[in-house]
Amino acid sequence: MRTDTADLERPASAPAFQQLGLGRKIKNHTATVLFGLAFLVAVIPLLWVLFTLVQRGLAPMLNADWWNHSFYGLLPNDSGGGIYHALVGTLEQTLVCALIAVPLGVTVGIFLIEYGRNSKLARTTTFMVDILSGLPSIVAGLFIYALWITTFGFDRSGFAVSLSLVLLMLPVVVRVTETMLTIVPDELREASYALGVPKWKTIVKVVLPTSFSGIITGIILGLARVMGETAPLLILVGYSRAINYNLFDGPMASLPLTVYTARKTSTEAGEYRMWGAALTLVLLIMLINLLATLLSKLFAVKTR
Amino acid sequence: MSSEPPTPPEQPGGKKKVVRLGDRLFQAVATGSGIFVVTIIAAIGLFLLVRAIPALHANEANFLLSGQWRTGDPENMAFGIVDLAWITVASSLVALIIAMPVAGGIALFLTQYAPKVLARPFAYVVDLLAAVPSVIYGLWGALVLAPVLKPVALWINGTLGWIPIFADGNVPANSGSNVFTAGIVLAVMILPIITGVAREVFERTPSAQIEGALALGATKWEVVRTTVWPFGRSGFVGGAMLGLGRALGETVALTVILSYTFEGPHYSIFDAGATFASRIALGSAEFNNHLTVGAYIAAGLVLFISTFAVNALARWIESGSGKGKK
C-alpha cells in the first residue's frame, strides 16, 4: 500500500458549503411550503368565521334599540328589538361564576405551589385539575342538574348556570395561578422570611402581589372562555325574551342561549337576531381579551 | 417540579417551633381547596351514577347494545347508546384525522420556521380560534360551510363510494347535516389545543441536537425529521388525545350542525344522528321527571367516563414525552 502524497495535502474535511443534492433540496423546500400552508389553513376558518359574523351581524348592532331593548313581546316575524336582556344575563352569570371560581382557584394554586410541593395530595389535585379542564361542558351541566336541581330541589335558574361555569373556569384559574407563582423568584420569599414575616403573610403581601398581573390576566381570559359556553345553559336555565335581573328565579337569557334559541326560528327576523347576538358575543369576548392584555401591561411588575 | 419555594426557617434557639394561627388557618384553607377539587371530580362521577341507576333499571332495551332512544314516557323507556357512540366516535375521528397533520405542521412552522419576531403573534392568531364560542362554529358550519362542502361531499361519495365509510349514509351527502361537515368543524375547533401542546414540546427540543444535526450538514427538513420530530412525537400524540377528548364532548356545535334522523346509522360519514353530548342537549326540553333525566344522565356518565379516560391517557403520554430520552 502506498499513499499518494497529493492526497495528504487535501483538507481533512469536505468544504463546509457543499452543493446539496437536488432531491434533498426539493424535499426541504416542499417541507417549508407545507408547514407554511398548514398555518394558512388555520387562518382561513378564523377569518371566514369573523367575516361571516360581521357581514351578517353588523346591521342589528347599528340600531340604537339593540343595546337598550329586549326581545320582549316580539313575534318571530317582527324585526327590531335588542339584546339588552341577554347582555344582563351573560354578565351576571359570568360575574357570579368568577366570584366563586377565582378565590377557590387561587387558593388551590397557592396550595399546589406553596404548601403541597410534591405531596401525594398535590399530585392528585394537579391530575384532577387536568381532568376538570377536559370536562365536557354538557357533563358539567348535567352534574349541576343532578346536584342542584334534582338533589337539592332548586329550580332551574341563572345561578345554576353560574355554578356549572365555575367547574369550567376553575382549572383555568388554578393553572394560571400555578404558573405565575412558580415564576416568583425564591429570593423574594427568602428575604421576607429573613425579616421574620410569617409564611402566610409572605404569600399574601409578597408572592401574590408579585404575580398579580399574570393572575388577573389569566382570570379575565378564563372569564372570556366561559362566557361563550352554551351547553350547560340548555339544561340549567330557560330562555326568556324579557329582561330578568334575578339570578335565582325564573328563566334568564344570555348571549349564547339567544343565539341558540334564535336558530330555531328560521324567519328573516330570527336570522337577523341570531347573527346580531353572535357578533355581539364575539365582540364582547374580544373586548374582554383586550382588557386582559391592557391590564397585564398596566399592572406589570416593574423589573427595575 | 425541580425548584421548590423555600420554607420559613425554624425558629432559632427555641426548642418548640412557634406555630402562628394565621399560618395554620392559611394552610388549612389552601389544603382544603386542593381536597375540594379532588372531591368535585369524585362527586361528578358519583352523582351521575346515582341518578343514572334508577333509569337504567327502568330501561327496557339493552343500554350498551341498543340504538333506540325512547325516553319521553317514564313507564316505558327504551334507550341504548350504540348509535350515539358511532356518531360521536366517527365525527371525532374525522376531526382528528384532519386536525392532526395540520396542527403538527403549524407547530413545526411556528417553532422552527417562522421568524422569531412573528412566531408569537402567529401563535396568538391560532389561539384566537379557541376564543370563538362553539355555538358560533355551529352556525358557521351549518349555514356557511355546509353549502360550500356540498360538491366535495358529493365528489367523495360518488368517486370513493365503493369504500364503505364513504358510501351513502342515512342522510344525502349533499345535505351538509352529516358527520362529514361536523368533523371538519370539529377539526377547526380542536386545532388550537393540539397546536398548543405540540408547540410546547417541539420548542423544548435540545438545541445541541439541532445544532449537531445542522453541523453534520442536514437541511432544515432533515433537522426537523431527525431531531425535533422524534423528540416531540409523543407530546404531539398526547396533544392529539387532548383534542380527541374535547371533540368527544363538544356539544352545541354538533347539535346545530347534525340533523337528527330516526333511521339507524349506515356506518358512513354521511350519517346524521346525535352524539352523546348533542343527544343530551336536544333532550333538555323533556327534562321533566327523574327517570327521563336519568336516561340522559346515563348517557352523560358514559361520556364522562370516556373523556376521563382519554384525558388521563393524554396527560400520561404527555408527561412521558421529552423525558428519559437522549
Side-chain angles (χ1 to χ4, degrees):
Chain A
M1 277 268 229
R2 59 180 284 271
T3 319
D4 201 331
T5 40
D7 270 355
L8 290 175
E9 311 273 295
R10 207 186 53 187
S13 68
F17 299 100
Q18 265 181 334
Q19 282 293 312
L20 281 177
L22 188 63
R24 291 177 65 201
K25 242 186 199 168
I26 290 176
K27 266 189 199 158
N28 188 31
H29 280 102
T30 323
T32 311
V33 170
L34 279 181
F35 294 146
L37 273 182
F39 177 68
L40 282 184
V41 166
V43 176
I44 291 168
L46 182 67
L47 292 180
W48 195 354
V49 168
L50 293 181
F51 172 76
T52 311
L53 279 175
V54 173
Q55 183 198 26
R56 305 192 185 187
L58 197 60
M61 295 185 61
L62 296 177
N63 193 331
D65 278 356
W66 184 255
W67 300 104
N68 51 25
H69 281 63
S70 70
F71 290 158
Y72 185 66
L74 291 175
L75 296 172
N77 284 318
D78 295 342
S79 53
I83 204 72
Y84 184 72
H85 61 311
L87 272 174
V88 168
T90 291
L91 292 179
E92 279 191 17
Q93 286 166 12
T94 40
L95 276 182
V96 169
C97 156
L99 284 181
I100 305 171
V102 170
L104 190 61
V106 170
T107 41
V108 174
I110 291 176
F111 163 68
L112 288 176
I113 299 300
E114 306 287 337
Y115 290 102
R117 306 290 172 76
N118 284 323
S119 70
K120 202 161 186 190
L121 178 61
R123 278 203 306 272
T124 319
T125 308
T126 307
F127 177 72
M128 289 308 180
V129 169
D130 283 345
I131 293 298
L132 209 53
S133 71
L135 185 78
S137 52
I138 190 87
V139 174
L142 272 183
F143 168 61
I144 296 299
Y145 193 95
L147 177 78
W148 189 251
I149 295 172
T150 317
T151 309
F152 292 168
F154 291 97
D155 277 336
R156 308 204 303 165
S157 66
F159 184 68
V161 170
S162 298
L163 286 181
S164 68
L165 295 184
V166 167
L167 294 180
L168 303 170
M169 187 170 173
L170 195 59
V172 184
V173 180
V174 175
R175 205 59 73 57
V176 163
T177 312
E178 217 185 330
T179 323
M180 288 303 141
L181 291 187
T182 353
I183 297 176
V184 175
D186 280 346
E187 285 81 356
L188 281 181
R189 294 188 180 94
E190 278 157 9
S192 173
Y193 295 149
L195 292 172
V197 180
K199 182 164 182 171
W200 71 274
K201 227 170 193 173
T202 305
I203 295 173
V204 174
K205 299 263 176 177
V206 177
V207 178
L208 282 182
T210 313
S211 45
F212 184 71
S213 78
I215 294 178
I216 207 91
T217 312
I219 287 170
I220 294 176
L221 290 179
L223 212 59
R225 189 176 110 60
V226 295
M227 206 165 254
E229 284 295 347
T230 319
L233 283 67
L234 299 178
I235 51 182
L236 290 176
V237 69
Y239 176 68
S240 154
R241 289 192 288 164
I243 300 167
N244 176 10
Y245 291 107
N246 189 348
L247 265 182
F248 294 91
D249 191 35
M252 190 179 203
S254 56
L255 286 169
L257 197 55
T258 305
V259 176
Y260 184 83
T261 315
R263 161 91 176 111
K264 288 187 204 146
T265 35
S266 53
T267 58
E268 202 178 312
E271 290 234 329
Y272 175 87
R273 288 176 204 153
M274 175 179 80
W275 289 109
L279 180 61
T280 312
L281 177 60
V282 168
L283 275 185
L284 189 64
I285 290 175
M286 280 173 135
L287 209 70
I288 288 176
N289 273 317
L290 207 69
L291 184 75
T293 327
L294 216 70
L295 278 181
S296 84
K297 285 230 170 83
L298 221 64
F299 288 117
V301 181
K302 310 284 178 293
T303 39
R304 316 179 16 144
Chain B
M1 242 160 272
S2 55
S3 68
E4 292 177 354
T7 33
E10 301 282 319
Q11 292 295 317
K15 278 183 218 81
K16 59 174 182 181
K17 198 178 144 194
V18 179
V19 182
R20 295 182 185 84
L21 183 67
D23 264 344
R24 272 208 172 154
L25 265 176
F26 208 76
Q27 175 156 20
V29 169
T31 314
S33 341
I35 295 171
F36 183 70
V37 171
V38 179
T39 327
I40 285 181
I41 296 284
I44 292 175
L46 196 73
F47 270 88
L48 295 184
L49 189 66
V50 166
R51 292 293 155 201
I53 285 173
L56 288 173
H57 273 301
N59 190 4
E60 288 167 11
N62 186 322
F63 180 61
L64 293 177
L65 298 177
S66 161
Q68 307 177 66
W69 198 271
R70 202 176 67 234
T71 52
D73 176 12
E75 299 297 312
N76 179 24
M77 294 201 303
F79 56 92
I81 56 170
V82 168
D83 290 2
L84 302 183
W86 159 247
I87 301 290
T88 308
V89 170
S91 53
S92 305
L93 284 185
V94 170
L96 209 56
I97 289 168
I98 298 168
M100 265 178 89
V102 178
I106 296 172
L108 287 175
F109 173 74
L110 292 178
T111 54
Q112 311 298 326
Y113 287 86
K116 281 280 173 292
V117 201
L118 290 178
R120 195 168 268 274
F122 278 2
Y124 182 69
V125 168
V126 178
D127 286 341
L128 272 184
L129 276 176
V132 178
S134 62
V135 65
I136 286 166
Y137 277 121
L139 289 187
W140 173 71
L143 302 173
V144 182
L145 187 67
V148 177
L149 286 179
K150 195 156 114 180
V152 183
L154 284 174
W155 181 83
I156 291 179
N157 184 228
T159 322
L160 303 171
W162 51 273
I163 305 172
I165 199 94
F166 298 123
D168 293 336
N170 58 13
V171 295
N174 63 7
S175 79
S177 311
N178 50 36
V179 170
F180 179 64
T181 312
I184 291 174
V185 174
L186 272 184
V188 174
M189 298 177 72
I190 64 176
L191 199 60
I193 301 174
I194 308 180
T195 308
V197 176
R199 207 157 53 85
E200 237 169 70
V201 286
F202 289 152
E203 233 158 37
R204 270 184 273 144
T205 316
S207 51
Q209 284 186 19
I210 296 179
E211 282 157 14
L214 282 173
L216 289 172
T219 61
K220 191 107 192 174
W221 159 241
E222 284 158 351
V223 169
V224 167
R225 207 192 56 201
T226 54
T227 66
V228 181
W229 175 246
F231 181 83
R233 187 173 42 210
S234 63
F236 171 66
V237 173
M241 296 291 288
L242 280 188
L244 177 65
R246 171 89 194 278
L248 290 174
E250 175 48 45
T251 314
V252 176
L254 295 189
T255 315
V256 174
I257 294 170
L258 290 172
S259 62
Y260 188 64
T261 70
F262 289 96
E263 202 182 329
H266 293 192
Y267 300 99
S268 150
I269 59 167
F270 300 111
D271 276 338
T275 67
F276 284 107
S278 76
R279 181 68 270 188
I280 299 166
L282 284 169
S284 56
E286 55 174 55
F287 274 27
N288 42 28
N289 69 76
H290 287 352
L291 282 179
T292 303
V293 174
Y296 289 99
I297 288 182
L301 183 64
V302 176
L303 178 62
F304 174 61
I305 293 171
S306 33
T307 48
F308 188 105
V310 168
N311 279 309
L313 187 64
R315 302 291 173 183
W316 184 70
I317 296 174
E318 216 189 319
S319 68
S321 77
K323 282 184 207 155
K325 262 182 284 180
K326 285 279 145 71

